[in-house]
């Protein structure tokens, strides 16, 4: 009877709708020692939680995060460069180059945030939000390259062992690298969660792996100080394995976005909001998809057969209104209203043989 799509621009927080934001998500939170260890590398997050309300503000916050984290990583790498020159350490050189490469991942992400702000065109009718997912692929490739490089360096150290000099200075350099990367990682992951950016979360995980690579420099230096020359390559291989785990989870996150996957709890929440709207008898065919930082929804609602076209149209807008203010990060919805099944069967027959 009626289909409506209308994009809302005002902040959600200005309205006091009863659908609230305290919906359960149905996730199993990690517990125990193994769970806490995995939480370090793969932080738990909800697809819809802790995200600000405006897509434009999300892009601005993402850009701000990239600028600050880029500056932090470059500063960390510059400090390590000075120490590399002083110690002539190949291990630290590799870690330093790794940090420079991680800082440069901000470039494709920044380009994606800028491109994602462009308005929809006749060719790109949904806009350019998917540019961020493409940037996520680049980040995943860089994580894979980091893993390959770390593994190569570790194996090379097994074949060609080398003495570590200026152990105290190397320890300082490794600690600086770890602290710098961990600060950047936490900032990127936290911002990525808040604005709904899978690519930024993946990049934060990348920075975290670089931090542990830097920490490996400290452990290898301590091993060398204790007279265990194989400490460096052994720890290097362990770090490679850790990066592979991060690669798996980052790739899965980006893949899910590219395949239009959403948190099932979001679908449940969307259905609940629609069913609670007065006048809606039933809801079917709920579909959600991410476009950059924003969610879009499609759904069919069942209304009373006696409902007029005008009233059904108004109800469709009311459902969308409730969704925009009841489901965070959802900016628009297409709602199709139809009468009870017995009355709408002839209309369904027109398209049923195409489905």
């Amino acid at each position: 009877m009626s289909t409506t799509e209308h994009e809302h621009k005002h902040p959600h927080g200005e309205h006091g709708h009863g659908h609230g934001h305290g919906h359960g998500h149905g996730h199993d939170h990690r517990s125990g020692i193994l769970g806490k260890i995995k939480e370090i590398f793969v932080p738990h997050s909800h697809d819809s939680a802790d995200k600000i309300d405006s897509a434009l503000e999300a892009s601005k916050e993402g850009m701000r995060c990239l600028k600050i984290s880029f500056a932090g990583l470059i500063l960390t790498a510059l400090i390590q460069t000075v120490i590399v020159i002083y110690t002539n350490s190949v291990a630290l050189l590799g870690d330093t180059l790794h940090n420079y490469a991680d800082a440069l991942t901000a470039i494709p992400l920044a380009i994606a945030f800028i491109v994602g702000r462009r308005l929809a065109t006749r060719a790109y009718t949904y806009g350019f939000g998917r540019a961020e997912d493409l940037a996520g692929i680049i980040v995943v490739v860089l994580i894979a390259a980091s893993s390959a490089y770390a593994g190569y360096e570790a194996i090379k150290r097994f074949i060609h062992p080398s003495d570590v000099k200026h152990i105290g200075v190397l320890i300082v350099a490794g600690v600086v690298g770890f602290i710098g990367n961990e600060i950047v990682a936490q900032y990127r992951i936290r911002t990525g969660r808040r604005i709904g950016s899978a690519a930024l979360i993946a990049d934060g995980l990348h920075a975290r792996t670089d931090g542990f690579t830097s920490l490996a420099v400290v452990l290898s230096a301590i091993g060398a100080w204790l007279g265990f020359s194989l400490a460096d390559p052994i720890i290097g291989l362990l770090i490679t394995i850790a990066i592979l785990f991060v690669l798996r989870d980052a790739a899965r996150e980006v893949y899910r976005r590219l395949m239009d996957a959403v948190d099932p709890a979001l679908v449940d929440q969307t259905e609940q909001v629609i069913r609670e709207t007065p006048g809606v008898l039933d809801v079917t065919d709920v579909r959600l998809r991410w476009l950059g930082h924003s969610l879009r929804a499609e759904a069919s609602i069942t209304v009373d057969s006696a409902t007029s076209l005008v009233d059904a149209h108004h109800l469709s807008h009311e459902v969308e209104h409730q969704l925009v203010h009841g489901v965070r990060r959802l900016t628009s919805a297409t709602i199709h209203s139809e009468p009870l099944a017995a009355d709408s069967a002839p209309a369904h027959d027109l398209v049923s043989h195409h489905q």
Side-chain angles (χ1 to χ4, degrees):
M1 292 177 65
S2 174
T3 301
T4 177
E5 181 177 2
H6 175 67
E7 192 162 336
H8 293 249
K9 298 296 184 180
H10 41 272
H12 300 182
E14 295 175 5
H15 297 265
H17 294 283
H19 304 293
H21 300 272
H23 299 274
H25 296 275
H27 290 280
D28 293 327
H29 291 264
R30 304 182 180 106
S31 59
I33 296 177
L34 292 178
K36 292 184 180 298
I37 292 175
K38 188 174 182 183
E39 180 74 16
I40 293 175
F41 290 99
V42 189
H44 177 82
S45 66
H46 300 284
D47 242 354
S48 63
D50 300 324
K51 298 179 178 70
I52 60 176
D53 298 319
S54 165
L56 182 59
E57 286 302 316
S59 295
K60 288 181 179 178
E61 183 168 359
M63 287 293 292
R64 183 166 57 249
C65 174
L66 290 175
K67 291 176 183 177
I68 295 175
S69 60
F70 176 81
L73 286 176
I74 287 295
L75 178 61
T76 300
L78 288 174
I79 293 174
Q80 287 187 315
T81 299
V82 175
I83 299 177
V84 165
I85 296 174
Y86 176 69
T87 62
N88 196 32
S89 169
V90 176
L92 184 58
L93 174 61
D95 183 49
T96 302
L97 293 175
H98 202 174
N99 284 329
Y100 277 120
D102 187 34
L104 294 178
T105 60
I107 296 177
L109 282 175
I111 294 174
F113 282 129
I114 294 172
V115 172
R117 295 178 183 178
R118 295 178 59 186
L119 297 176
T121 66
R122 295 286 290 179
Y124 296 91
T125 55
Y126 279 98
F128 296 83
R130 283 295 173 84
E132 187 178 323
D133 296 327
L134 295 178
I137 295 176
I138 297 176
V139 172
V140 168
V141 170
L142 288 173
I143 296 176
S146 298
S147 175
Y149 179 77
Y152 168 77
E153 286 294 324
I155 293 174
K156 189 172 72 173
R157 279 301 174 91
F158 271 115
I159 299 174
H160 303 291
S162 61
D163 295 330
V164 177
K165 301 178 181 179
H166 305 290
I167 293 176
V169 178
L170 283 179
I171 291 176
V172 171
V175 170
V176 168
F178 172 73
I179 293 176
N181 276 285
E182 181 59 22
I183 291 174
V184 168
Q186 290 191 22
Y187 185 32
R188 285 179 175 176
I189 292 171
R190 186 167 57 249
T191 303
R193 286 177 180 172
R194 186 161 53 247
I195 69 176
S197 171
L200 194 55
I201 292 174
D203 205 29
L205 293 174
H206 185 198
R208 176 157 287 167
T209 63
D210 288 352
F212 280 92
T213 303
S214 297
L215 195 60
V217 174
V218 177
L219 297 179
S220 64
I222 294 175
W225 179 63
L226 295 175
F228 185 42
S229 59
L230 291 179
D232 185 37
I234 290 175
I235 292 172
L237 286 177
L238 292 177
I239 291 297
T240 300
I241 294 173
I243 296 176
L244 286 175
F245 278 106
V246 173
L247 173 64
R248 180 199 63 183
D249 290 289
R252 182 168 54 192
E253 182 76 15
V254 173
Y255 169 80
R256 283 173 55 82
R257 283 297 179 89
L258 290 172
M259 293 297 293
D260 284 333
V262 297
D263 188 338
L266 274 175
V267 181
D268 296 337
Q269 181 183 356
T270 300
E271 289 181 343
Q272 179 183 346
V273 171
I274 295 175
R275 292 183 191 279
E276 291 177 354
T277 304
V280 175
L281 301 181
D282 195 13
V283 55
T284 57
D285 299 329
V286 174
R287 295 182 176 91
L288 297 172
R289 71 188 307 191
W290 283 100
L291 287 176
H293 308 309
S294 304
L295 274 172
R296 293 198 178 189
E298 297 178 17
S300 295
I301 60 173
T302 302
V303 301
D304 191 281
S305 302
T307 305
S308 69
L309 178 61
V310 173
D311 289 340
H313 179 73
H314 177 78
L315 180 58
S316 296
H317 275 292
E318 179 60 27
V319 168
E320 186 194 10
H321 183 258
Q322 295 293 337
L323 284 174
V324 170
H325 299 291
V327 180
R328 289 194 176 187
R329 303 305 310 128
L330 194 149
T331 58
S332 65
T334 300
I335 307 299
H336 174 71
S337 60
E338 54 188 39
L340 289 172
D343 301 301
S344 61
H348 287 173
D349 290 341
L350 295 174
V351 295
S352 60
H353 65 284
H354 294 292
Q355 298 175 347

